[in-house]
Amino acid sequence: MRPALLLAALTVGPAFADGALAVPSGMPVTFHEMLWDQPGQGLTYRFRFVAPEIGPGGRAFEEVALDMEHLCQTYALPKLAAIGPKPAQIVISLAQKSVEFGQPAPDVPQFFEAYRVEDDTCIWEVF
């Protein structure tokens, strides 16, 4: 891990072990872990999920973009209300299978979206 970037991590525990999560596309999605760091732009929380149906032969990014927004709004925001300060950014990621954060995994499809929080709403930010 890069200590300057990664300050802390929460893996599946009692507050996060929710099993399969409901998303608009209906595909199976499970919580993997939450990380937080403070790069130059401020506090960022990263919510990482496993979605086995994404990638080649499966669901394309366009088919799951609403799922990521939904996870930000209905999963990440409620969790953050209970654990800490308001972030500058929330990053939602979907991976076809569990991979270690920051480690190359070119064979594992992954999708990412970033959001800022305004008035208890996730607002999409272009990377």
Side-chain angles (χ1 to χ4, degrees):
M1 285 195 236
R2 298 171 286 182
L5 173 63
L6 185 60
L7 298 178
L10 275 176
T11 55
V12 175
F16 288 89
D18 297 325
L21 302 169
V23 294
S25 71
M27 75 174 171
V29 174
T30 55
F31 173 75
H32 173 60
E33 67 182 348
M34 185 194 74
L35 309 169
W36 67 92
D37 56 34
Q38 193 151 357
Q41 302 299 319
L43 181 61
T44 299
Y45 284 95
R46 300 173 190 280
F47 285 83
R48 302 179 70 219
F49 300 89
V50 174
E53 293 182 4
I54 66 168
R59 296 177 190 253
F61 176 82
E62 295 76 20
E63 297 175 85
V64 300
L66 286 177
D67 293 347
M68 290 188 284
E69 182 178 339
H70 177 80
L71 289 167
C72 185
Q73 192 67 41
T74 65
Y75 189 87
L77 285 181
K79 298 295 185 194
L80 291 179
I83 62 170
K86 182 179 171 185
Q89 188 175 67
I90 295 172
V91 175
I92 302 292
S93 66
L94 299 176
Q96 192 178 59
K97 64 182 183 179
S98 176
V99 295
E100 186 176 339
F101 180 75
Q103 296 302 310
D107 59 324
V108 179
Q110 299 180 61
F111 301 142
F112 303 87
E113 281 292 3
Y115 304 87
R116 71 180 184 280
V117 179
E118 287 184 15
D119 300 320
D120 295 322
T121 301
C122 291
I123 308 294
W124 175 65
E125 292 196 321
V126 179
F127 269 122

